[in-house]
Amino acid sequence: MGNGVQESQRALTQGEVLPLPSSSQSELMRICLFFPREQEAYRLIYRTYRQDGFLSLWRGNSATMVRVIPYAAIQFCAHEQYKRLLGGYYGFQGKALPPVPRLMAGSLAGTTAAMITYPLDMVRARMAVTPKEMYSNILHVFVRISREEGLKTLYRGFTPTILGVVPYAGLSFFTYETLKKLHAEKTGRPQPYSYERLAFGACAGLIGQSASYPLDVVRRRMQTAGVTGHTYGTILGTMREIVTEEGIIRGLYKGLSMNWVKGPIAVGISFMTFDLTQIFLRKVGYSSR
C-alpha cells in the first residue's frame, strides 16, 4: 500500500507516535493504547496540549461523530423497540423488564447498531493509525480500501466486535435500567435527578467496558492489521498472539485505565442526554410509538 503503510508499520512497531491524521486526535490516543509503549498515549496528550492548545485535543472530532451519531441513534431507538417487544412477549408491557429480558434488550440494541455502522468504525480506526497524507477524507478511505483490499476488509474484525458488543451493550443497559429501578423503589421518586442519571450511566459504562475490553483490543488489532504489518486471521489466533508477545494484562487490558477515565463519563452523558431528551419530547407531544 505504499510508503505511508511502511512508515506506519515501522512507527507502530517501535511504539512511536505517528503524525496526527485527519481523524480525531482523541481517537488516535485511544488507538495508541493497543500498541507497544502505552505511555506514549499520555505523552501525546501532553505534547498536543503544549504545542497546539487545549482545543486541539478535539481537532478532527467530526470524523468520529460521523460514526458515533448514527450508532447512538440506532442503539437507543432499537433499545426502546426491543424493550417494547420483549415486554409484550413476557407480559411486562409498560413496566420494568425482568433481569434476563433487560439484558437481552441491551445486547440486541448494541448488536443492531454495530451491524449497521461497522464500516464507519473500521474507517475511523484505519484513519487513526495512518499518516495524514495517506487518506484525504472518510470517503477516500472507503474507496481506497475497497480498491486495494476488497470490500470484505470493511468488515474485518466484525466478529470480535459483535462478541464484544453483546456483553458491553447488554451490561450497560442492564446496569443503567437496574439502577433506575432500584432508585425508584428506594426513594419513591419515579424519575431520578439529572446528576443521578449521570452517575448511573457512568457505573453502567464502567462495568460494560471492563467486561468487553479484551475483545475491543482484538477488534482494533484486526481492524488495523493492514497497516501494522501483522496478519491477524482469527479471534483466538489474534488473542493468542497478543498474550504470547505482551502478556494477558499488558496485552489484552492495555489502556483500560484510560478508558476508565473516558468511558464512564461518555456513557453517563449519553444515557442522561437520551433520557432527558425523551422526557422533553414526550412533554411537547412526541410520545414514542
Side-chain angles (χ1 to χ4, degrees), residues 155-225:
Y155 279 88
R156 180 182 293 160
F158 178 72
T159 302
T161 296
I162 296 301
L163 292 178
V165 162
V166 169
Y168 172 71
L171 287 172
S172 295
F173 279 103
F174 173 83
T175 302
Y176 185 70
E177 295 290 327
T178 299
L179 289 175
K180 286 203 303 181
K181 181 175 180 293
L182 293 174
H183 172 272
E185 293 174 352
K186 295 291 185 181
T187 65
R189 286 190 285 113
Q191 298 295 341
Y193 296 127
S194 297
Y195 68 86
E196 292 171 329
R197 296 179 192 275
L198 181 64
F200 296 161
C203 291
L206 183 65
I207 293 173
Q209 281 199 333
S210 300
S212 62
Y213 195 79
L215 285 167
D216 196 35
V217 172
V218 172
R219 169 173 65 105
R220 291 296 180 190
R221 294 292 181 95
M222 294 181 74
Q223 285 179 332
T224 56

Side-chain angles (χ1 to χ4, degrees), residues 17-254:
V17 178
L18 296 173
L20 293 176
S22 54
S23 182
S24 69
Q25 294 184 8
S26 59
E27 181 64 15
L28 177 56
M29 295 172 200
R30 184 167 182 267
I31 292 293
C32 283
L33 298 176
F34 298 113
F35 297 95
R37 298 185 184 180
E38 175 180 323
Q39 63 268 30
E40 288 294 343
Y42 298 97
R43 293 176 185 173
L44 175 60
I45 295 175
Y46 181 71
R47 188 184 312 150
T48 303
Y49 166 71
R50 289 294 300 272
Q51 292 179 353
D52 302 315
F54 182 71
L55 292 179
S56 67
L57 295 173
W58 278 267
R59 182 183 299 154
N61 190 52
S62 57
T64 300
M65 292 298 101
V66 168
R67 183 257 178 182
V68 169
I69 291 174
Y71 181 90
I74 293 169
Q75 181 175 238
F76 281 113
C77 178
H79 184 248
E80 291 299 303
Q81 299 305 315
Y82 285 128
K83 279 201 307 182
R84 185 172 291 106
L85 290 171
L86 291 171
Y89 181 80
Y90 287 99
F92 286 86
Q93 191 71 47
K95 302 177 184 178
L97 291 174
V100 173
R102 200 181 309 154
L103 185 66
M104 289 174 58
S107 295
L108 289 169
T111 301
T112 302
M115 290 176 65
I116 296 174
T117 63
Y118 186 79
L120 290 171
D121 190 45
M122 170 66 181
V123 167
R124 182 185 61 164
R126 182 63 66 89
M127 292 180 72
V129 296
T130 51
K132 182 178 180 180
E133 61 272 10
M134 189 170 179
Y135 300 116
S136 57
N137 52 53
I138 293 176
L139 182 60
H140 184 209
V141 184
F142 275 109
V143 173
R144 187 163 178 178
I145 290 178
S146 300
R147 286 178 179 174
E148 298 180 3
E149 303 176 54
L151 288 173
K152 291 176 62 176
T153 303
L154 293 173
Y155 279 88
R156 180 182 293 160
F158 178 72
T159 302
T161 296
I162 296 301
L163 292 178
V165 162
V166 169
Y168 172 71
L171 287 172
S172 295
F173 279 103
F174 173 83
T175 302
Y176 185 70
E177 295 290 327
T178 299
L179 289 175
K180 286 203 303 181
K181 181 175 180 293
L182 293 174
H183 172 272
E185 293 174 352
K186 295 291 185 181
T187 65
R189 286 190 285 113
Q191 298 295 341
Y193 296 127
S194 297
Y195 68 86
E196 292 171 329
R197 296 179 192 275
L198 181 64
F200 296 161
C203 291
L206 183 65
I207 293 173
Q209 281 199 333
S210 300
S212 62
Y213 195 79
L215 285 167
D216 196 35
V217 172
V218 172
R219 169 173 65 105
R220 291 296 180 190
R221 294 292 181 95
M222 294 181 74
Q223 285 179 332
T224 56
V227 294
T228 59
H230 286 82
T231 54
Y232 298 119
T234 64
I235 298 173
L236 291 178
T238 303
M239 196 170 289
R240 189 182 304 113
E241 186 172 340
I242 293 173
V243 172
T244 301
E245 294 179 357
E246 304 168 46
I248 296 176
I249 302 299
R250 294 184 61 82
L252 294 179
Y253 288 91
K254 179 178 291 182

